[in-house]
Amino acid sequence: MSSSYLPATTESLVLANEAASPTEAISILYRVLDDPSSSPDALRMKEQAITLLTKHLTEENRGEDLRSLLTQLRPFFSLIPKAKTAKIVRGIIDSVAKIPGTSDLQIALCKEMVQWTRAEKRTFLRQRVEARLAALLMENKEYSEALTLLSGLVKEVRRLDDKLLLVDIDLLESKLHFSLRNLPKAKAALTAARTAANAIYVPPAQQGAIDLQSGILHAEEKDYKTAYSYFFEAFESFNALDDPKAVFSLKYMLLCKIMVNQADDVGGIISSKAGLQYLGPDLDAMKAVADAHSKRSLRLFEIALRDYKAQLEEDPIVHRHLSSLYDTLLEQNLCRLIEPFSRVEIAHIAELIELPVDHVERKLSQMILDKKFAGTLDQGAGCLVIFDDPKTDAIYPATLETISNIGKVVDSLYVRSAKIMA
């Protein structure tokens, strides 16, 4: 920053806009902020300068400078209304989030702002920054710290009855419990979010986020038809806003179609007007999985998992369901291959199914233990021995039923004799 300041006027902002380079514009805007004047016009010009400076620093990926800017602006915040302060602070935090690889910086920035807002008794802003901090901690997989922060925050916000923030916090709590695999609490938090949302007007983006989380929880319970309808609602909300989350909603819609054995519908959804807008690796990945599922081909399935690792393996929701689908597909293929045999080499089965021998042997042993078929592994000979399905002998159930009926007759006779003797 330069020691000489520029007056906080329209001319100074025009000078910054006409600067030859972003670095020069940033220098001019810093000098505008150094203007000691606190007249209403000067304050208004400084607000515009902050917006421009934030934009330039974000474009230049200068996250640390944005952090120091927030510290530098603290005396200025005492001169403007609290609502405007909240808007500027949240805007700068959002700008830091746009710079890649700044998750640790965002967490540190939020913690600093929480301390400052607590000292300044700015409750409204503190609660929102704490909610943002909890979301960042969850993304950073620091679940216990995020949960501790949220549990205290949700009680405070419920007491103040701030419904809009309460929806955000309950939704975040639901996502957090889902990440910790605590489905009952995740569902309870989502229900609380829906209850709060029903009492107020909820922005479409927030409603889309609620629908997306509802779909994820229903899919986890294997209720894929209901999940599909929620994902569709979320997709429509995000699509109308051109939100990047729309592609994830569409991806999960296609996943639901595959999981209910309607993989043939995937191509139609992708080639629809809405689907064509989001063509890319995510939809290509789901199409490859759908093709593998339609052809019942494990080889194509594994090729899809390898070629689209980022879209399938690294997405925890898709990965969880595809693991279940892969196991089902593998079991169906193995049962079909071993059906004609009474004794067969494991290596031959592995060759037919185009998978490693140890992988096939491990799966066959699991299927025998799960009683998917009757058989045993002869590991010395490297063979699978399949037994005929034991025929149930009808005489045993019939005998048990006869004994049961005789027991009823004896009980009835005992009751009658007791009445006669009485």
Side-chain angles (χ1 to χ4, degrees):
M1 285 181 291
S2 174
S3 56
S4 62
Y5 67 84
L6 284 172
T9 60
T10 309
E11 288 76 17
S12 298
L13 296 184
V14 170
L15 189 66
N17 283 327
E18 292 174 352
S21 67
T23 308
E24 188 184 337
I26 289 167
S27 175
I28 292 168
L29 291 166
Y30 269 125
R31 289 168 66 192
V32 171
L33 293 179
D34 285 342
D35 182 358
S37 173
S38 57
S39 67
D41 287 340
L43 292 177
R44 193 170 66 253
M45 288 300 122
K46 284 184 182 180
E47 286 173 31
Q48 292 180 28
I50 291 166
T51 306
L52 279 172
L53 182 56
T54 303
K55 181 186 170 190
H56 284 304
L57 289 173
T58 306
E59 287 169 355
E60 294 292 301
N61 290 342
R62 290 165 63 173
E64 283 293 343
D65 287 347
L66 283 167
R67 180 183 181 178
S68 58
L69 176 64
L70 262 182
T71 308
Q72 180 197 337
L73 289 173
R74 287 178 186 178
F76 173 71
F77 290 149
S78 62
L79 303 173
I80 61 173
K82 289 185 176 181
K84 284 188 177 178
T85 300
K87 184 181 176 183
I88 291 169
V89 169
R90 290 164 69 188
I92 293 175
I93 292 172
D94 288 342
S95 297
V96 175
K98 291 174 186 173
I99 301 172
T102 56
S103 59
D104 291 337
L105 175 62
Q106 289 176 64
I107 289 171
L109 180 60
C110 286
K111 284 180 177 176
E112 283 176 13
M113 290 312 298
V114 166
Q115 288 175 354
W116 178 73
T117 51
R118 204 180 288 279
E120 293 285 315
K121 295 185 171 57
R122 293 175 183 254
T123 308
F124 176 86
L125 178 57
R126 176 180 56 76
Q127 289 170 345
R128 277 148 183 80
V129 175
E130 281 186 340
R132 181 63 175 267
L133 176 59
L136 289 167
L137 289 169
M138 185 183 77
E139 286 172 18
N140 229 27
K141 295 186 167 53
E142 296 177 33
Y143 299 126
S144 57
E145 192 178 344
L147 199 56
T148 306
L149 182 62
L150 272 184
S151 57
L153 185 59
V154 75
K155 289 174 187 172
E156 188 181 343
V157 174
R158 281 212 175 103
R159 196 165 58 246
L160 294 171
D161 201 31
D162 185 344
K163 289 278 196 297
L164 197 59
L165 182 57
L166 193 58
V167 172
D168 275 336
I169 294 169
D170 284 332
L171 184 58
L172 187 58
E173 191 180 4
S174 177
K175 290 177 183 176
L176 187 56
H177 284 304
F178 177 74
S179 299
L180 292 168
R181 313 295 305 128
N182 191 336
L183 283 182
K185 284 193 175 180
K187 286 171 70 179
L190 183 63
T191 304
R194 282 193 171 281
T195 305
N198 287 338
I200 55 166
Y201 168 74
V202 177
Q206 204 171 25
Q207 186 59 52
I210 292 171
D211 289 332
L212 185 63
Q213 182 66 8
S214 299
I216 289 168
L217 292 181
H218 277 91
E220 192 65 24
E221 294 180 323
K222 313 292 184 195
D223 185 1
Y224 293 110
K225 288 186 178 178
T226 308
Y228 178 86
S229 64
Y230 276 119
F231 288 138
F232 182 73
E233 291 291 335
F235 172 72
E236 288 202 319
S237 298
F238 293 137
N239 186 40
L241 298 167
D242 291 328
D243 192 308
K245 289 180 186 171
V247 72
F248 293 106
S249 304
L250 184 56
K251 183 177 169 184
Y252 299 151
M253 281 166 60
L254 300 178
L255 175 67
C256 289
K257 284 291 182 186
I258 294 167
M259 296 305 291
V260 293
N261 296 321
Q262 293 177 3
D264 296 337
D265 294 351
V266 168
I269 294 171
I270 292 173
S271 58
S272 66
K273 185 181 175 183
L276 290 170
Q277 297 176 43
Y278 298 98
L279 286 177
D282 285 294
L283 298 196
D284 291 344
M286 298 315 294
K287 191 168 191 317
V289 170
D291 288 342
H293 184 268
S294 297
K295 294 171 183 173
R296 301 282 177 194
S297 170
L298 281 169
R299 189 174 61 82
L300 289 176
F301 199 99
E302 292 205 327
I303 289 170
L305 290 177
R306 188 182 66 241
D307 292 349
Y308 298 100
K309 187 175 182 181
Q311 289 77 25
L312 301 176
E313 294 278 343
E314 292 173 17
D315 185 327
I317 294 156
V318 173
H319 176 63
R320 192 175 296 119
H321 294 290
L322 288 188
S323 297
S324 164
L325 183 66
Y326 179 81
D327 282 344
T328 306
L329 206 55
L330 179 56
E331 286 177 7
Q332 288 174 353
N333 275 268
L334 284 172
C335 286
R336 179 171 53 81
L337 288 173
I338 66 175
E339 193 175 5
F341 301 102
S342 59
R343 182 184 178 90
V344 61
E345 287 185 358
I346 297 169
H348 179 61
I349 295 291
E351 186 184 335
L352 290 174
I353 206 167
E354 298 176 337
L355 286 174
V357 175
D358 58 336
H359 187 147
V360 173
E361 186 176 340
R362 194 162 54 247
K363 188 63 188 175
L364 287 170
S365 129
Q366 184 187 330
M367 288 170 71
I368 291 168
L369 290 172
D370 290 344
K371 298 185 178 177
K372 297 288 171 72
F373 67 89
T376 186
L377 288 171
D378 184 347
Q379 289 183 313
C383 288
L384 170 69
V385 181
I386 299 107
F387 306 140
D388 292 331
D389 290 333
K391 292 180 181 177
T392 52
D393 197 336
I395 193 167
Y396 295 112
T399 305
L400 287 171
E401 190 180 349
T402 304
I403 291 169
S404 173
N405 290 334
I406 290 170
K408 289 175 185 175
V409 170
V410 170
D411 290 343
S412 174
L413 289 171
Y414 175 77
V415 170
R416 286 188 182 183
S417 62
K419 284 181 180 176
I420 292 167
M421 295 293 291

